[in-house]
Amino acid sequence: MTRRKITYPTAQYIQNRKRRKFRDIKLPSRILSVIFLALFFSPFIESSQSRTVEEAKFLSPLENSVVREINMARTGPKDYASLLEQWRNYFDKKILRLPGETPILTKEGVRAVVEAIRFLHSIQPLPPLIPSKGMSLGAKDHVKDQGSSGASQHKGRNGSQSSDRVNRYGTWEKSIGENISYGSNRARDIVMSLIIDDGVPSRGHRKNIFSPDFRVIGVAFGPHPAYRTLCVITFAGEYKEKSRK
């Protein structure tokens, strides 16, 4: 059985809603269990919402599972930490040996899992994220673009960022962010790996998932020519869907 070693440079972007300026911070290459990219944006404060979210008819079963998995972690972080405990037993130093999967060479090994468990025990529950059709359509545009081009970054071939793509179908408000996962086709693996955030010092993908500033989510999943699959997850403080006649 061979090891799967994936290396890709990550980048962090910060967008201010009023000034619409971007700051690009280059980070060195990382060895990750799965490839992840993230956008991080300025926060806002808003009242909490209901903790129950129905499945969205416009999402596929796997996409709904990603939303459900993220909301499970947000609304019950301490309970979710117990799920991460299971991953500790699959590490052989820095090699992750999940049953039935190709061994994965990680950057930090079990240390990142332990740190993630500690983080989950330290935070309070958050409201669940509400699925948005327009944001999911914007994410789907990026999935189609990269599924065709084989690229692995936030910027589309036409120069678009996540904020541009979701604004094709509505208007985002207050704050916006994006995580992209490459290489996994199971919701729990996608979300757990983003929460662990192996090899990313800022833990930016985890911060997006547990940001109290985000209230709305869009998800799209599809094939990728280089990494088999990709899952684009967009977050926003608020989102106004464009009316459709």
Side-chain angles (χ1 to χ4, degrees), residues 79-134:
D79 292 334
Y80 204 81
S82 65
L83 298 177
L84 281 184
E85 289 280 1
Q86 301 172 15
W87 274 41
R88 297 179 65 172
N89 301 323
Y90 297 127
F91 274 89
D92 177 9
K93 296 182 179 178
K94 291 187 177 182
I95 301 175
L96 176 62
R97 301 183 184 275
L98 293 172
E101 297 287 339
T102 302
I104 299 169
L105 178 62
T106 67
K107 180 68 175 179
E108 301 174 68
V110 72
R111 182 184 64 178
V113 181
V114 172
E115 191 269 334
I117 292 170
R118 188 182 304 118
F119 168 82
L120 290 171
H121 280 293
S122 72
I123 64 174
Q124 296 300 312
L126 293 166
L129 300 171
I130 307 302
S132 159
K133 185 174 183 178

Side-chain angles (χ1 to χ4, degrees), residues 64 67 71 85 92 102 130 145 174 176 178 182 195 210 231 240:
N64 268 308
V67 175
N71 283 336
E85 289 280 1
D92 177 9
T102 302
I130 307 302
D145 183 23
K174 298 186 177 180
I176 186 169
E178 180 179 78
Y182 297 84
I195 290 173
F210 292 100
C231 184
K240 296 180 180 178

Side-chain angles (χ1 to χ4, degrees), residues 3-242:
R3 298 180 187 175
R4 176 154 54 97
K5 180 178 178 181
I6 304 174
T7 304
Y8 190 77
T10 62
Q12 176 180 353
Y13 298 84
I14 299 173
Q15 182 171 356
N16 181 286
R17 178 57 171 163
K18 294 181 178 179
R19 297 182 180 178
R20 294 183 178 274
K21 291 183 179 179
F22 289 87
R23 177 159 56 93
D24 186 358
I25 304 174
K26 300 292 184 178
L27 300 178
S29 297
R30 305 291 177 187
I31 299 175
L32 308 179
S33 58
V34 184
I35 306 302
F36 302 115
L37 309 174
L39 301 178
F40 316 118
F41 297 97
S42 52
F44 75 98
I45 303 299
E46 188 176 310
S47 60
S48 62
Q49 301 177 11
S50 169
R51 292 185 178 275
T52 58
V53 177
E54 294 184 359
E55 289 196 351
K57 295 181 180 179
F58 51 83
L59 296 178
S60 71
L62 189 144
E63 290 162 353
N64 268 308
S65 293
V66 169
V67 175
R68 184 168 56 250
E69 196 74 19
I70 288 175
N71 283 336
M72 188 187 305
R74 281 175 63 95
T75 60
K78 293 179 177 60
D79 292 334
Y80 204 81
S82 65
L83 298 177
L84 281 184
E85 289 280 1
Q86 301 172 15
W87 274 41
R88 297 179 65 172
N89 301 323
Y90 297 127
F91 274 89
D92 177 9
K93 296 182 179 178
K94 291 187 177 182
I95 301 175
L96 176 62
R97 301 183 184 275
L98 293 172
E101 297 287 339
T102 302
I104 299 169
L105 178 62
T106 67
K107 180 68 175 179
E108 301 174 68
V110 72
R111 182 184 64 178
V113 181
V114 172
E115 191 269 334
I117 292 170
R118 188 182 304 118
F119 168 82
L120 290 171
H121 280 293
S122 72
I123 64 174
Q124 296 300 312
L126 293 166
L129 300 171
I130 307 302
S132 159
K133 185 174 183 178
M135 289 179 61
S136 297
L137 288 172
K140 178 63 73 175
D141 285 350
H142 202 44
V143 167
K144 291 178 179 178
D145 183 23
Q146 294 200 344
S148 173
S149 68
S152 49
Q153 60 181 344
H154 289 288
K155 184 182 291 187
R157 280 185 290 182
N158 61 359
S160 65
Q161 296 286 353
S162 63
S163 54
D164 303 313
R165 294 187 287 270
V166 301
N167 273 356
R168 295 169 186 163
Y169 307 98
T171 306
W172 68 270
E173 297 291 342
K174 298 186 177 180
S175 55
I176 186 169
E178 180 179 78
N179 287 354
I180 307 179
S181 164
Y182 297 84
S184 181
N185 59 2
R186 294 186 294 195
R188 178 150 295 175
D189 291 349
I190 291 170
V191 175
M192 278 191 173
S193 295
L194 287 166
I195 290 173
I196 294 169
D197 223 358
D198 176 65
V200 182
S202 68
R203 306 299 192 213
H205 313 89
R206 180 194 302 170
K207 288 177 181 177
N208 271 350
I209 290 173
F210 292 100
S211 172
D213 305 328
F214 293 137
R215 291 291 187 268
V216 192
I217 187 171
V219 181
F221 180 86
H224 190 278
Y227 301 112
R228 297 181 301 163
T229 64
L230 77 155
C231 184
V232 177
I233 306 170
T234 56
F235 306 87
E238 289 182 359
Y239 186 77
K240 296 180 180 178
E241 304 279 350
K242 184 179 292 184

